[in-house]
């Protein structure tokens, strides 16, 4: 069998995540594919030796290996000015919410699916991130010396040689459902929440592909600051981020505007759906107090 089709990939991932034998009805429910599609994919995967006795085989895991996430990059250099006064002395990703640092939940979600190559791009109060090494000795730090004079595209530029087969995280997102972080990805995608209306950054989507990034809209997908970039797209991003950064006004861009706005002709980025209860960005001190009453003093 050549490269897995998308449907075969979805079925094989379901087996890999379960680790147990599953009925085709189970697979229909998990993947959203029709029973007929599931039947055919399972037949093909059985014939290829990727499924044996209703479970994924060693050959199946080998077939998924090219789709495995290799690393995670955390963009964590900014001031977190909207969370003042807490961030006057603490970088936002290190702020504790209900007793746990915000970034810890994201790192733990990565480790849960076997992503152990982890980079943090730091800038503001950079030395404070060293405390993470006691719990996460595998972390490597990348220094952003211009975080105070450029937007987060400068952090992406620091990490631009590492973007293939990689997650990119905004490091200040409070995650409550670690299962939204996946071990395998078929193609580049951005986490997003389906919305009837939002005033936040959002996407227009057609046939599952992001066609526009904008602020505010109706019948759209609200952006969550977590994305995955395939091997091919990561290689393109390495060049495109550098080109946009060097262009007039480039330092003021958000990094994701490179593949979604300024060089969007080079990419087809899918939506990966998540939900309101899965993750939240704490933008203001009042929002922090609403979640963690210990700050409401």
């Amino acid at each position: 069998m050549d490269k897995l089709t998308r449907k075969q990939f979805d079925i094989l991932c379901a087996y890999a995540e379960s680790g147990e034998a599953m009925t085709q009805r189970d697979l229909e429910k998990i993947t959203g594919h029709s029973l007929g599609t599931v039947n055919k994919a399972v037949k093909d995967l059985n014939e290829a030796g990727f499924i044996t006795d209703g479970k994924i085989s060693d050959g199946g895991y080998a077939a998924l290996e090219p789709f495995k996430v290799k690393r995670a990059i955390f963009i964590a250099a900014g001031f977190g000015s909207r969370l003042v006064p807490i961030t006057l002395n603490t970088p936002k990703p290190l702020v504790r919410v209900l007793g746990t640092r915000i970034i810890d939940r994201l790192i733990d979600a990565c480790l849960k699916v076997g992503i152990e190559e982890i980079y943090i791009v730091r800038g503001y109060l950079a030395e404070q991130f060293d405390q993470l090494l006691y719990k996460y000795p595998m972390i490597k730090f990348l220094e952003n010396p211009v975080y105070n004079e450029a937007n987060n595209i400068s952090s992406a530029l620091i990490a631009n040689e590492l973007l293939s087969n990689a997650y990119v995280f905004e490091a200040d997102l409070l995650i409550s459902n670690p299962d939204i972080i996946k071990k395998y990805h078929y193609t580049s995608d951005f986490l997003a929440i389906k919305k009837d209306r939002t005033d936040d950054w959002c996407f227009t989507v057609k046939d599952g592909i992001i066609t526009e990034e904008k602020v505010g809209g109706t019948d759209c997908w609200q952006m969550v600051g977590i994305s995955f970039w395939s091997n091919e797209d990561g290689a393109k991003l390495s060049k495109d981020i550098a080109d946009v950064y060097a262009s007039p006004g480039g330092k003021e861009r958000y990094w994701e505007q490179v593949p979604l706005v300024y060089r969007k002709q080079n990419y087809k980025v899918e939506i990966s759906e998540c939900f309101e209860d899965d993750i939240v960005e704490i933008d203001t001190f009042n929002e922090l107090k609403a979640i963690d009453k210990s700050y409401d003093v």
Side-chain angles (χ1 to χ4, degrees):
M1 181 182 291
D2 294 328
K3 179 183 175 180
L4 295 171
T5 68
R6 181 56 179 269
K7 293 169 184 176
Q8 291 167 346
F9 169 83
D10 291 343
I11 299 296
L12 206 53
C13 276
Y15 276 108
E17 290 181 8
S18 169
E20 304 292 335
M22 288 187 292
T23 68
Q24 295 186 4
R25 289 289 184 187
D26 292 333
L27 292 167
E28 179 188 28
K29 183 178 180 181
I30 291 169
T31 65
H33 295 309
S34 70
L35 190 59
T37 295
V38 170
N39 289 340
K40 183 179 187 311
V42 169
K43 179 176 180 292
D44 292 340
L45 292 168
N46 268 298
E47 290 177 353
F50 297 161
I51 298 172
T52 305
D53 298 326
K55 295 184 179 181
I56 186 170
S57 67
D58 289 344
Y61 283 112
L64 285 174
E65 193 66 22
F67 306 97
K68 188 176 180 180
V69 182
K70 289 185 177 179
R71 61 185 64 90
I73 298 158
F74 289 84
I75 305 296
F79 288 107
S81 57
R82 288 181 293 179
L83 211 61
V84 168
I86 297 300
T87 49
L88 290 176
N89 299 304
T90 305
K92 188 177 176 184
L94 300 180
V95 170
R96 292 185 180 272
V97 180
L98 302 175
T100 302
R101 292 172 302 213
I102 291 173
I103 198 172
D104 284 33
R105 298 174 190 265
L106 294 169
I107 295 172
D108 289 344
C110 290
L111 295 177
K112 182 181 177 183
V113 293
I115 305 169
E116 297 186 353
E117 186 180 339
I118 295 172
Y119 298 85
I120 296 177
V121 185
R122 60 184 182 175
Y124 176 61
L125 297 177
E127 69 285 350
Q128 290 200 23
F129 285 92
D130 288 345
Q131 65 186 270
L132 292 171
L133 294 172
Y134 292 102
K135 183 178 178 182
Y136 306 110
M138 77 292 294
I139 287 175
K140 298 180 178 66
F141 295 116
L142 302 173
E143 313 298 337
N144 181 352
V146 296
Y147 70 91
N148 60 343
E149 58 188 68
N151 220 320
N152 69 9
I153 189 174
S154 62
S155 289
L157 183 65
I158 299 295
N160 75 337
E161 298 294 334
L162 300 168
L163 297 175
S164 291
N165 282 359
Y167 265 115
V168 178
F169 290 85
E170 292 180 11
D172 58 357
L173 299 168
L174 184 66
I175 189 172
S176 53
N177 178 15
D179 292 338
I180 62 176
I181 306 306
K182 303 296 185 182
K183 186 172 188 173
Y184 304 104
H185 285 256
Y186 196 76
T187 188
S188 300
D189 58 53
F190 235 106
L191 274 170
I193 301 167
K194 188 73 176 73
K195 289 281 195 174
D196 293 330
R197 177 184 297 275
T198 182
D199 295 325
D200 211 331
W201 285 92
C202 61
F203 305 130
T204 301
V205 175
K206 183 178 181 181
D207 298 328
I209 303 296
I210 298 172
T211 58
E212 180 186 18
E213 182 190 31
K214 58 187 179 180
V215 179
T218 58
D219 188 26
C220 58
W221 292 81
Q222 183 171 303
M223 183 178 81
V224 174
I226 300 175
S227 56
F228 169 79
W229 301 93
S230 68
N231 187 58
E232 179 183 358
D233 285 348
K236 288 187 288 187
L237 274 172
S238 178
K239 179 179 184 300
D240 288 343
I241 287 171
D243 287 348
V244 172
Y245 185 82
S247 68
K251 292 183 179 181
E252 304 306 315
R253 311 302 182 199
Y254 294 105
W255 83 267
E256 82 281 349
Q257 291 178 308
V258 175
L260 300 181
V261 180
Y262 297 104
R263 295 292 186 273
K264 71 177 183 179
Q265 70 275 11
N266 295 338
Y267 304 87
K268 289 185 178 179
V269 184
E270 292 190 357
I271 285 294
S272 179
E273 184 173 14
C274 64
F275 301 93
E276 296 276 4
D277 292 341
D278 292 332
I279 194 165
V280 64
E281 182 177 6
I282 302 174
D283 283 328
T284 66
F285 187 50
N286 284 336
E287 290 174 357
L288 175 62
K289 290 192 292 184
I291 293 172
D292 189 336
K293 300 302 182 184
S294 68
Y295 289 101
D296 192 9
V297 292

